[in-house]
Amino acid sequence: MNLSPIDAAIVVLYMILVFGVGIYMERRAGKNINAYFLGGGSMPWWLLGMSGSSTYFDITGTMWIVSTFYILGMKGLWEHWIWCFPFAGFLFAFKGKWIYRSGVLTNIEWLIFRYGDKKDGQAARLVTVIAGLILMILMLGYAGTGVGKFIEEFFPVKKAVAIPILFAFTGLYVLLGGFFSVVYSDLFQTIVLFLAAIYIAVCAFIQIDPEVFRNTVGNQWYSLKPVWQLPTSSEVYQDLFGLLFILWMTRGVILLFNNGVATSGAEFQRCRAARNENEASKMALMWGFIFSIRWALVMAFTLFGLSIFANSGSAVDAERILPMVLNRVLPVGIKGLVIAGLMAAFMSTFDSTLNVAASYVVNDLVKPVWKTATSRQLIIASYISTLIILLLGILISLRTEQIRDIWNPINFALGSALLAPGLIAPYWWRIGGWAHCASGLLTLIVAMWVYFFTDWRELQYFPIIAGVSFVSCIIASYLFAPASNSVLLNFYKNIRPFGFWKPVRRMMVAAGEDDSRFVRDKNDLPVAIVATLFFIALYVWMMDLVLHNWSRVWWVTLFLFVSGFFIYKFRWKRMNAVIE
């Protein structure tokens, strides 16, 4: 055991406090499923934004991010396009308010809003909820894989014991308190994480000599410029870096534009839990800002890791760099606080994923079938589904050894099963429920075959899966009828999306209605692009500060001021316009 009694006591005290939140929130969460899964729409935007940031600050992902920078240098930033790390820009500019305007409970129910509640809409919903639940369970397994490695570094227990205990503990307070429990525990966890991240980043900034470090890693280590081939090969990155770069960027850009059903459950849930559409946008902005501290933290761990292990002469599991550094550089007391913060990172991701997955089961599987269920019966169904999903997540995590073994399939295989419908449906009137269903079902079968029966790498299978998704979606859109006119009109009236909606707009004009987009939606796309570049620059700026990379810091600072002024002038000042 590598923890002192003081450190262990801090971690235990933290766990007890978080569990207390779940018990305290049980009464508020048990009113109905809207309260259980959305908090009754009563939470302020800043609280939802802090909660979202904590949700994406998971310990497994942080360990993986550190490993990418450890192996690739600053070029490792490009890999994180696979999960669309600057997502907050598009969420702030228009995706957040589109989600809020839908009025539905989950991103799966969005399909009913988009395609209607007849057989075609329900078929699309069924295929999507199956794919969504598979992904959520895999995400729980992913979270458990990282936290298992983390705990083995500090406690005398194997992950086969640690994971069930942690899953049961976190699952119990989510089960009791629902979304209220998730958000308020996330607030506490965000504060702990923020303090821990600041401390470690400042330690790296002060303790590591920047000139010595630069001489150790070389100037090319700091470069963000994409290259076709890396100077040194790696077992993890066996393919040409240029091809990987194209792969990562392609998926990331697609995810930027994906909306509705393709938006992550955590993002959708918090946008819908906002008080109004302006607060949904503000929530996204807060999410992106608070999230920036994560990049300072991962760079600090990378600096310590390279300084300690790079020239040690022995092989090091890059995914274990984070806990190994913690064991060597932090004093008693501080170590316990930081470990509690990183445990908070696991719990905040885990609790949101579990709560969203349970909402899929209750709202998109149970409710459509059990139409006479009371609020209390649906809450009980939420409890049962939470427990079942919890057990499946434990099984997945116990069978996974490396983070990348589950992370890459989540993103490139099963996570791409609904790539085309999620991208096309919000912007093109022609795609209907049957087209969504057919494309999703076919692509999901291909993705499952790749995941379970091949040992292909993502460069081999992602182009196939993405190709099947897009080709089948386009063909099916012409083979099957689109949604009914009334459904299309209702969708366009409420969302007012940009894109290819001309036939629907003609129907609105024929009915004597105004077909124009809302005035407050002007500049959606330019603001989205500038805001995305702003957040990328902000995250690079945080890492460069820790690195003492002053030459780039000044240029990035100038860009942040210019882009920040653009965002303020063309969106923030106009966000409080009268809602039409």
Side-chain angles (χ1 to χ4, degrees):
M1 181 172 179
N2 295 310
L3 283 184
S4 71
I6 294 175
D7 292 323
I10 291 172
V11 175
V12 171
L13 177 61
Y14 170 78
M15 303 286 277
I16 293 172
L17 287 173
V18 170
F19 187 70
V21 172
I23 296 175
Y24 179 74
M25 291 294 170
E26 190 271 340
R27 183 179 296 274
R28 292 181 68 183
K31 293 179 180 178
N32 52 59
I33 64 168
N34 185 273
Y36 193 83
F37 292 122
L38 294 180
S42 62
M43 298 182 185
W45 61 270
W46 59 267
L47 177 60
L48 292 169
M50 293 180 74
S51 169
S53 175
S54 180
T55 294
Y56 273 21
F57 205 141
D58 66 298
I59 187 172
T60 306
T62 304
M63 291 168 66
W64 173 68
I65 293 173
V66 170
S67 74
T68 62
F69 286 116
Y70 184 85
I71 297 171
L72 298 174
M74 286 293 285
K75 288 182 178 63
L77 183 70
W78 296 112
E79 183 168 2
H80 303 297
W81 272 98
I82 68 175
W83 57 275
C84 195
F85 72 97
F87 67 92
F90 271 61
L91 197 65
F92 162 71
F94 66 88
K95 289 169 70 171
K97 60 188 179 186
W98 287 12
I99 291 169
Y100 182 84
R101 291 171 185 173
S102 71
V104 297
L105 185 68
T106 67
N107 55 338
I108 307 295
E109 192 180 1
W110 166 280
L111 296 173
I112 301 300
F113 176 59
R114 173 61 181 83
Y115 302 130
D117 60 358
K118 304 301 181 183
K119 290 182 179 181
D120 53 346
Q122 296 295 352
R125 185 187 206 179
L126 179 60
V127 169
T128 306
V129 77
I130 291 171
L133 282 172
I134 292 171
L135 277 177
M136 288 292 178
I137 292 167
L138 286 174
M139 283 297 295
L140 293 177
Y142 151 83
T145 301
V147 81
K149 282 189 171 187
F150 184 83
I151 288 175
E152 285 181 335
E153 192 70 23
F154 298 101
F155 296 94
V157 292
K158 295 296 183 182
K159 74 173 189 177
V161 176
I163 289 173
I165 293 174
L166 268 178
F167 273 39
F169 178 86
T170 311
L172 186 56
Y173 83 75
V174 174
L175 184 147
L176 289 172
F179 191 62
F180 280 110
S181 178
V182 170
V183 171
Y184 282 101
S185 61
D186 280 353
L187 172 63
F188 182 50
Q189 290 160 358
T190 301
I191 294 170
V192 174
L193 278 168
F194 192 86
L195 294 175
I198 290 292
Y199 179 85
I200 295 174
V202 170
C203 284
F205 182 86
I206 294 173
Q207 295 177 19
I208 297 178
D209 188 311
E211 293 303 320
V212 173
F213 181 79
R214 185 177 286 270
N215 291 334
T216 300
V217 299
N219 288 327
Q220 279 301 309
W221 191 92
Y222 294 80
S223 174
L224 284 165
K225 183 180 178 181
V227 295
W228 189 250
Q229 189 169 4
L230 295 173
T232 56
S233 60
S234 166
E235 290 185 10
V236 179
Y237 302 95
Q238 301 174 27
D239 301 291
L240 286 173
F241 184 82
L243 291 176
L244 291 172
F245 168 80
I246 294 170
L247 177 75
W248 299 332
M249 287 296 297
T250 298
R251 190 175 192 279
V253 171
I254 289 173
L255 288 182
L256 277 180
F257 284 91
N258 275 16
N259 206 344
V261 66
T263 307
S264 87
E267 294 168 23
F268 196 98
Q269 190 177 38
R270 281 158 182 79
C271 289
R272 281 292 301 122
R275 293 168 175 170
N276 54 58
E277 67 177 62
N278 283 340
E279 292 210 356
S281 295
K282 291 178 181 179
M283 179 279 300
L285 200 63
M286 171 65 85
W287 190 328
F289 270 109
I290 299 297
F291 193 62
S292 65
I293 193 62
R294 185 188 198 186
W295 299 94
L297 176 70
V298 298
M299 188 49 62
F301 277 122
T302 304
L303 259 67
F304 277 123
L306 286 167
S307 300
I308 297 170
F309 304 112
N311 297 316
S312 63
S314 58
V316 176
D317 181 355
E319 292 181 358
R320 290 185 181 268
I321 291 295
L322 188 154
M324 291 167 71
V325 167
L326 275 181
N327 252 340
R328 288 162 175 78
V329 303
L330 297 184
V332 172
I334 297 297
K335 182 187 289 188
L337 177 64
V338 172
I339 291 173
L342 290 170
M343 293 294 290
F346 159 74
M347 295 169 72
S348 62
T349 300
F350 181 91
D351 59 19
S352 287
T353 304
L354 187 58
N355 189 247
V356 170
S359 73
Y360 288 176
V361 174
V362 175
N363 192 66
D364 300 298
L365 285 179
V366 175
K367 266 184 69 178
V369 176
W370 192 5
K371 298 183 184 298
T372 59
T374 64
S375 292
R376 185 58 189 166
Q377 288 170 329
L378 290 174
I379 291 295
I380 292 172
S382 302
Y383 294 164
I384 296 171
S385 61
T386 298
L387 290 173
I388 294 172
I389 294 165
L390 194 68
L391 292 173
L392 292 173
I394 291 173
L395 292 175
I396 294 291
S397 61
L398 292 178
R399 293 174 58 87
T400 307
E401 293 299 325
Q402 296 292 324
I403 296 171
R404 63 179 177 270
D405 292 342
I406 192 169
W407 182 238
N408 285 344
I410 286 173
N411 283 283
F412 291 112
L414 297 172
S416 298
L418 294 164
L419 204 62
L423 174 64
I424 299 172
Y427 309 102
W428 188 36
W429 69 277
R430 190 68 182 76
I431 181 173
W434 288 121
H436 183 114
C437 176
S439 175
L441 188 60
L442 179 61
T443 313
L444 183 61
I445 291 171
V446 175
M448 295 282 281
W449 176 76
V450 166
Y451 181 70
F452 289 107
F453 301 107
T454 76
D455 57 357
W456 293 352
R457 297 193 299 276
E458 54 268 26
L459 259 177
Q460 296 170 293
Y461 62 72
F462 179 71
I464 296 173
I465 293 173
V468 170
S469 182
F470 278 94
V471 171
S472 63
C473 186
I474 298 297
I475 293 175
S477 294
Y478 286 101
L479 290 178
F480 297 102
S484 66
N485 290 348
S486 60
V487 170
L488 289 171
L489 282 167
N490 181 63
F491 180 85
Y492 189 84
K493 285 179 186 178
N494 284 279
I495 305 300
R496 298 296 170 116
F498 55 81
F500 304 97
W501 288 91
K502 193 172 181 179
V504 180
R505 295 176 65 178
R506 282 202 300 262
M507 285 191 286
M508 289 182 67
V509 172
E513 298 186 51
D514 181 12
D515 69 327
S516 61
R517 299 187 69 219
F518 296 138
V519 174
R520 63 185 181 277
D521 293 342
K522 187 179 180 181
N523 302 318
D524 273 358
L525 196 53
V527 169
I529 293 170
V530 173
T532 299
L533 295 174
F534 174 88
F535 281 116
I536 294 171
L538 178 62
Y539 302 153
V540 171
W541 186 79
M542 295 295 283
M543 292 188 285
D544 278 341
L545 281 180
V546 178
L547 288 167
H548 297 249
N549 192 24
W550 303 119
S551 59
R552 190 160 60 204
V553 163
W554 304 126
W555 286 109
V556 174
T557 301
L558 177 62
F559 178 80
L560 288 172
F561 274 111
V562 173
S563 57
F565 177 75
F566 180 92
I567 293 168
Y568 171 77
K569 181 175 177 59
F570 292 101
R571 175 46 50 84
W572 185 268
K573 286 181 67 176
R574 301 177 181 182
M575 269 205 298
N576 294 317
V578 176
I579 296 179
E580 302 170 32

